[in-house]
Amino acid sequence: MKISEQWLREWVNPNNNSEQLAEQLTMAGLEIDDLYPVAASFTGVVIGEVKSVSPHPDADKLRVTQVDVGSGELLQIVCGAPNVTEGMKAPVAMIGAVLPSDDAKGFKIKKSKLRGVESQGMLCGASEIDLIDDVDGLLELPTDAPVGQDIRQYLGLDAHILDVSITPNRGDCFSVRGIAREIGVINDLPVNSPEIDAVSIGSNRHQGVQVQAVEACPRYLAQAIEGIDRDIATPKWMQQALLQSGLRSHNFMVDVTNYVLLELGQPLHAFDADSIVGDIVVRLAKAGESVILLNEQSVTLTGDELVIADDEGILALAGIMGGKRSSVTDSTRHVILESAFFAPLAIAGRARRFGLHTDASQRFERGVDFELPALALARAAELITLIAGGTAGPITTVETLHQLPKRDPITLTYQKVKDVLGIDIEAEKMAKILTQLGFLVKSNESGLICTPPSYRFDMSLPEDLVEEIARIYGYDNIPTKLPYLQVNMAYEDSADLTMRLKLALVDAGYMEAVSFSFTDPKMEALLQDEALGEVLALANPISADLAVMRRTLLSSLLPSVQHNLNRQQSRIRFFETGLSFVGQSVSELVQTPSIALVAVGDVWPEQAFANRPYDFYDLKADVSQLLPSHLSESRIRYERSSLAFLHPGQSATLIIDQEVVGWFGQLHPNVAQQLDLPCTWVAQLTLQPLLDLAREPSLIAAPSKFPQVRRDIAIVVDADIEVQAIEQSIWQSGHSQAPLTDVWLFDVYQGDKMPEGKRSLAFALIWQDKEQTLSEEAIKVSLDNVIKVLKEQYDAQLRDS
């Protein structure tokens, strides 16, 4: 939000400069994104009055003007602006003036000739002095603008604009009033809010109001003002306040509502009173209803939007934007002012649904002070009647008090503050801070009982109060010291173990990615598989392409791969740790900590030696880096993956101790093609089993001093039997008389000498005892048992028999 520093200082004026004020707000949690003057630096521009206008003798589109700049002599200036007229006042850049430009030195005005006619300066439009152009031509100034005065002084262009980053929980700071309140508390200064007097009632016009959606709108106020003089221009002080807050002036009625919005934080709306038929009705839309908005956009409603209507249909999208039919025009003399409290959940997400983002929706979504509507309505009515005349009618107020937000007391103990902040703060100091912030504070021996003000929607926990105390007390005033910790050197927490996994991938050439847990529904549709579960759609997404929660971290990683490929990065290695979300509702949502990786391109970076494409076995090796070194091969099993988005012949499921830990393989070519990706290798593992395995004690044992015994067997089996299954059977059956310590496959033969559909597999088996030398009989019994089991389970035949 952009706000005028000068306007803020009218409310509260601490003894510090602009930079110090910005630093104070930032340290109090209201980060200043930027601090800059209203207009860029320029010199030599004053207010001038055009005394005469005559045609240029040699150019149809140019005019020769005589301009009074208060120097006693008229300046001859050649001007091409279509709106230059005799008697108007406009900015004049004198000879030697330096105007803003892309060049750091600026654009210097020199005496020149335009088509043979001497020009002694330049009449300026808004863009020439770094303001927004409302018209094609000169910036027309009010008739009472003093000739010869520096335009920077007259328009207040040296004032600063504070661009404040308002976090979603601080909707109370979307106004001069809210930020001034913060500044006042930080500097222990009173806030000088303007006196707002209720206008006298001079009209009998009463606007009827019916509120049907009482939960969404528990408070609605409306007031008629008749006989407004629409020829009245917006006062200079109001124009300056808006300009210095980043808004341009439109017309008086629009400017008044914008002014009150910025000043107090309450969105208002003005209806053309003559366009309203019957009572104003606040209700939910009917599915299929449509309305043309002020921006001339036609929207069709779904049925859960809150609308303002009359007997003929919809007048406005409540809390978002007014409708075209009831809009205030230049000829409107009678208006109905609306000031209401709309529940945040009734407005949230509706504006984005229609591609809208308005100042009103931005505030109502975060929560507007429910005690503010009456004050804001009085302020607007007062400004309108004082400046543009008119008579006000009685205020129509419709309230459902029990539907207004409740402010329950929060108990905060002094010990809680000390435990969180690590310091003792005087009880009186804490009570003063919270009282100045608007809390109703009661104290007892153990702590404070605080009732939040109506404008604080973010206060519910003792920790919230601790944060308020800390930011006003000053983070810089809290000493830095190490906390007291009891350290168990034998235990590694999840963060340490996760970091170990990350470092293993970094050592393998991967880079960590950090992304949103939200993702594009289209991406989730491409990665669809029943095994992943249901997708959770967000009720209030921040954008259409971040509208669902990811079921797999690939939904976040694959767009990053696309982004890098589009920037000529042909070799990519990414990993990410985070939560995956499964379930159609919050109540059944399962959140699983996971680690995922993705690889594209060659095995090694470009080099002088031979390279090759990354393949399935490279991916398997990278996945194996995440397994603890002490994990026995006998506990690990791989099965063909059935996930629909993986290549059926180039993917696997990782199983450890009969528990599925994750999957890896090539992204299905159809999916890769739709994403415009080359051959892409992906993997995702559940994090908790990996951490549990890493915590298993790794026993240190001396190597056996007794010799090991190797026996090789070659068996003939059906070609479709998995080698892994046979290995598991060997491990399970090979311990009958001697401890089997290792098994591996060392030869595969499938050729002319093999029957059709058969193949030969040769395995090496190692036995070794730590206590004694193994006897030949024990080895024979164990080997015979292995052969027996293989024959029973797989109809295996020894190749040499």
Side-chain angles (χ1 to χ4, degrees), residues 258-408:
N258 282 340
Y259 183 86
V260 176
L261 172 74
L262 286 174
E263 182 183 50
L264 302 180
Q266 172 70 47
L268 301 173
H269 189 68
F271 299 100
D272 184 333
D274 295 333
S275 68
I276 298 177
V277 180
D279 289 349
I280 286 176
V281 181
V282 185
R283 61 173 173 82
L284 291 178
K286 301 170 185 174
E289 274 189 300
S290 62
V291 59
I292 298 176
L293 301 175
L294 285 172
N295 63 356
E296 300 187 351
Q297 176 184 350
S298 178
V299 297
T300 300
L301 308 179
T302 61
D304 66 343
E305 301 90 351
L306 188 65
V307 298
I308 311 300
D310 65 0
D311 292 349
E312 291 195 354
I314 297 174
L315 297 170
L317 274 180
I320 298 174
M321 185 178 287
K324 188 73 174 176
R325 175 168 69 88
S326 60
S327 63
V328 174
T329 65
D330 291 340
S331 61
T332 300
R333 298 186 66 248
H334 314 304
V335 299
I336 302 296
L337 289 180
E338 168 196 274
S339 184
F341 171 74
F342 299 123
L345 291 179
I347 307 299
R350 275 60 168 190
R352 281 188 290 276
R353 179 181 300 170
F354 304 112
L356 301 171
H357 180 75
T358 64
D359 289 331
S361 66
Q362 186 181 39
R363 287 162 172 80
F364 279 124
E365 286 179 350
R366 287 163 170 77
V368 175
D369 183 359
F370 55 84
E371 299 292 356
L372 188 56
L375 181 68
L377 182 62
R379 179 61 164 164
E382 178 187 40
L383 291 172
I384 292 171
T385 55
L386 282 176
I387 298 169
T391 54
I395 298 174
T396 302
T397 302
V398 179
E399 296 179 319
T400 308
L401 297 180
H402 70 275
Q403 293 290 352
L404 290 170
K406 301 296 187 295
R407 292 292 180 258
D408 297 323

Side-chain angles (χ1 to χ4, degrees), residues 439-517:
F439 291 80
L440 178 62
V441 180
K442 296 180 180 179
S443 60
N444 55 36
E445 292 183 358
S446 60
L448 305 173
I449 302 173
C450 308
T451 303
S454 57
Y455 47 82
R456 292 304 296 269
F457 285 76
D458 57 329
M459 294 290 113
S460 59
L461 303 171
E463 288 79 5
D464 297 329
L465 299 178
V466 175
E467 180 183 1
E468 294 298 291
I469 292 169
R471 67 186 187 84
I472 301 301
Y473 182 79
Y475 295 117
D476 290 339
N477 295 324
I478 299 175
T480 301
K481 61 180 182 180
L482 291 174
Y484 173 74
L485 297 173
Q486 289 185 327
V487 180
N488 182 355
M489 300 300 292
Y491 179 81
E492 287 187 275
D493 63 17
S494 296
D496 293 334
L497 294 173
T498 302
M499 179 58 68
R500 191 191 298 176
L501 298 179
K502 291 181 179 182
L503 292 176
L505 289 175
V506 170
D507 289 343
Y510 286 78
M511 291 184 287
E512 183 174 13
V514 180
S515 55
F516 284 126
S517 297

Side-chain angles (χ1 to χ4, degrees), residues 672-684:
Q673 182 179 14
Q674 293 183 65
L675 294 174
D676 197 22
L677 295 175
C679 181
T680 302
W681 300 92
V682 297
Q684 179 167 306

Side-chain angles (χ1 to χ4, degrees), residues 10 36 178 184 228 252 262 435 581 585 599 641 659 695 698 717 743:
E10 292 172 7
Y36 56 93
I228 298 171
F252 175 66
L262 286 174
T435 300
F581 302 82
S585 66
S641 175
E659 178 185 358
R695 289 195 181 100
S698 180
V717 294
V743 177

Side-chain angles (χ1 to χ4, degrees), residues 110-129:
K110 301 175 182 178
K111 183 184 291 187
S112 61
K113 286 187 177 182
L114 296 177
R115 300 295 291 271
V117 177
E118 185 177 274
S119 184
Q120 299 171 314
M122 183 174 78
L123 287 163
C124 299
S127 60
E128 275 85 27
I129 57 174

